[in-house]
Structures are given as structure tokens and as C-alpha cells.
């Protein structure tokens, strides 16, 4: 993981890496919330 992050930092800069991480985390949270909503609705 550190190797991949260093590649991104070298190519795009640390700010772009942080932005990509934030986008990934936010999309993961949306998926988690959607699954929770489906689970609650299914009960």
C-alpha cells in the first residue's frame, strides 16, 4: 500500500493522493450506509 501511495505522490503530488483517498473513503461509506439501509428495510 505504501508503495502505491508513493507512486501516486510522485506522479500527481500528495494533495491529489489525499483527494483520491477521500473519494475512496466517501464512496465506501456510501456503500456501507446503503447496505445498512437495505438490511434495516429487510427486517
Amino acid at each position: 500500500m505504501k508503495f502505491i501511495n508513493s507512486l501516486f505522490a510522485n506522479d500527481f503530488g500528495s494533495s491529489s493522493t489525499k483527494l483520491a483517498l477521500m473519494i475512496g473513503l466517501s464512496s465506501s461509506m456510501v456503500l456501507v450506509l446503503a447496505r445498512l439501509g437495505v438490511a434495516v428495510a429487510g427486517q
Side-chain angles (χ1 to χ4, degrees):
M1 196 65 188
K2 289 182 179 180
F3 176 71
I4 295 173
N5 285 341
S6 65
L7 283 179
F8 279 124
N10 288 338
D11 290 341
F12 304 113
S14 58
S15 60
S16 295
T17 304
K18 289 179 183 178
L19 180 63
L21 287 173
M22 289 302 294
I23 292 173
L25 289 174
S26 62
S27 62
S28 297
M29 285 303 298
V30 169
L31 287 175
V32 169
L33 290 175
R35 287 185 181 183
L36 285 176
V38 169
V40 170
Q43 288 181 353

